Amino acid sequence: MTETTDSDGTMTVIEGLTHLDVKDGDAPRLEKLVSRPGATVIRMSFAAGQILKDHRAPAPILVQATSGDVSFSTADETVSLVPGTAVHVDEGIMHKLVANTDSVVMLTILR
């Protein structure tokens, strides 16, 4: 991450959004890349078959795949997250993610 400041404010460059860094076990590796006013960006690295179990976000979120294929499910719908696809979810909505292939997902928590 690099930051530059000019008279209009700060620009933050976030790198590594496609870097796959899996861990052993049933759950993905979560790494906070940046936290700034308005948003926190987290990289989630999944090995095929890993699951991020049912949970709720404390704020609205934007979830997008940067590589691979992950099933994103709420109680009402399942979406295949592949590069070029994102979902926006309101705070408090129960959801889970299941990796169909080795995958990297970018989670942006909106504040």
Side-chain angles (χ1 to χ4, degrees):
M1 173 186 79
T2 58
E3 292 184 10
T4 58
T5 303
D6 63 19
S7 60
D8 295 327
T10 300
M11 179 177 80
T12 303
V13 177
I14 305 166
E15 298 175 335
L17 296 175
T18 61
H19 177 71
L20 180 65
D21 185 16
V22 298
K23 68 175 188 174
D24 292 334
D26 297 331
R29 177 183 308 277
L30 280 65
E31 299 172 84
K32 184 188 303 182
L33 299 180
V34 67
S35 186
R36 301 285 302 148
T40 297
V41 177
I42 297 169
R43 179 181 58 219
M44 297 187 285
S45 295
F46 289 85
Q50 286 183 327
I51 298 171
L52 186 57
K53 295 180 181 179
D54 281 336
H55 63 284
R56 300 174 196 271
I61 58 174
L62 181 65
V63 185
Q64 64 188 88
T66 60
S67 68
D69 180 1
V70 174
S71 294
F72 183 99
S73 300
T74 64
D76 300 323
E77 186 174 4
T78 298
V79 174
S80 181
L81 289 180
V82 295
T85 304
V87 294
H88 176 274
V89 182
D90 290 333
E91 70 179 87
I93 302 297
M94 186 71 72
H95 60 279
K96 76 176 183 179
L97 292 86
V98 178
N100 302 313
T101 64
D102 288 354
S103 304
V104 179
V105 172
M106 182 179 74
L107 165 64
T108 305
I109 303 170
L110 307 167
R111 302 190 190 270

